[in-house]
Amino acid sequence: MAKAIRLVLLGAPGAGKGTQAKLLQEKFAAPQISTGDILRKAVADQTALGKQAADFMNRGALVPDDLIINIVGERLAADDCKQGFILDGFPRTIPQAESLDATLKRMGQPLNCVLSVRVPHAEIVERLSGRRTCRKCGALFHITFDPPRAQGVCDKCGGELFQRDDDQEATIKKRLDVYESQTAPLASYYAKQGLLREVDGVGTIDEIRTRVYAALGDLVQ
Ligand code: AMP
């Protein structure tokens, strides 16, 4: 029986965090909280948040900390997070990580693991430029490595597949620069707390899932 998991998935855009988060979500019955998904929905729904976030996202820049911190704080207070949560794409800066620590301390629910998924940048560019997402159910495909049965159509729900605006090559490079300067320092922030575990993120989805479970070790039993 898996224990409650309070996990941060760390890794560059395209490292496979979202894919592994979806698998872990089923295993642990704890929700995947993807700030990227929350923001994309806000942009599509044209909410006040979406209008503030869209320009930053299209440029491959980070949305300001105060905007994102409030959203995650509200999401973590929801009932379905009482048995744990899987944070995917948050925190992305040291101030976000500090604020998350403070929020979870108040809730008496500190993180029990931070898993860093490591993939070389050259592979990331290849992965992201071929990535396609289902507009309806969010399922992920890759035009070369994991193509859908029918071009442009989701295998799972028949929805339309699209390429994210920020998955164009120039924006990918910018996102990787932002990752190196603002997010990569989180690895040593969490290593100092004794929370950091690392996995090699190159391989098939199943191979990486096996490594992820091995790295989570005690939490998976
Ligand atoms: P993702 O789907 O995680 O790659 O996120 C897509 C975009 O949403 C990023 O490039 C940022 O513009 C924005 N975003 C997502 N999460 C965060 C965060 N924690 N802090 C700031 N911006 C974020």
Side-chain angles (χ1 to χ4, degrees):
M1 175 62 187
K3 294 181 191 162
I5 191 166
R6 294 184 296 277
L7 174 73
V8 165
L9 282 170
L10 209 57
K17 301 186 298 297
T19 303
Q20 295 301 324
K22 286 185 174 65
L23 297 169
L24 289 168
Q25 164 170 265
E26 282 172 30
K27 180 153 187 86
F28 287 92
Q32 169 197 16
I33 302 176
S34 157
T35 43
D37 285 350
I38 293 171
L39 290 169
R40 276 184 291 282
K41 180 161 190 321
V43 172
D45 293 348
Q46 300 188 348
T47 64
L49 167 69
K51 285 180 187 150
Q52 283 172 288
D55 180 49
F56 295 100
M57 295 172 75
N58 288 339
R59 282 189 284 119
L62 293 183
V63 168
D65 286 337
D66 52 346
L67 274 186
I68 203 88
I69 283 170
N70 288 338
I71 301 164
V72 176
E74 280 172 25
R75 182 65 189 85
L76 286 170
D79 272 353
D80 65 340
C81 292
K82 293 214 161 62
Q83 295 312 312
F85 48 81
I86 298 152
L87 284 166
D88 162 15
F90 180 92
R92 256 173 152 105
T93 63
I94 297 281
Q96 290 181 18
E98 289 171 344
S99 148
L100 176 67
D101 280 349
T103 302
L104 295 177
K105 193 170 174 197
R106 270 198 307 277
M107 294 167 64
Q109 302 272 354
L111 294 174
N112 50 21
C113 185
V114 175
L115 194 67
S116 167
V117 184
R118 306 183 66 92
V119 177
H121 283 193
E123 171 147 349
I124 286 196
V125 175
E126 203 179 358
R127 283 188 188 183
L128 289 184
S129 50
R131 177 160 76 174
R132 298 293 181 271
T133 309
C134 174
R135 225 178 258 294
K136 224 161 118 192
C137 76
L140 298 170
F141 298 86
H142 189 282
I143 52 173
T144 315
F145 307 130
D146 181 21
R149 284 191 294 273
Q151 199 187 337
V153 182
C154 176
D155 288 355
K156 299 194 173 110
C157 76
E160 179 204 358
L161 301 184
F162 75 106
Q163 180 176 34
R164 284 170 42 174
D165 289 341
D166 59 350
D167 280 346
Q168 316 286 337
E169 196 156 333
T171 318
I172 294 170
K173 295 223 161 87
K174 160 86 179 154
R175 288 164 68 203
L176 287 173
D177 288 347
V178 168
Y179 177 77
E180 282 308 321
S181 62
Q182 305 209 49
T183 309
L186 291 179
S188 52
Y189 174 89
Y190 286 121
K192 280 188 202 129
Q193 297 187 21
L195 288 170
L196 188 71
R197 305 183 197 188
E198 295 187 291
V199 289
D200 172 4
V202 178
T204 65
I205 291 173
D206 274 347
E207 282 165 353
I208 298 160
R209 176 177 50 182
T210 304
R211 286 179 215 146
V212 166
Y213 288 179
L216 293 178
D218 45 315
L219 294 168
V220 180
Q221 271 134 44

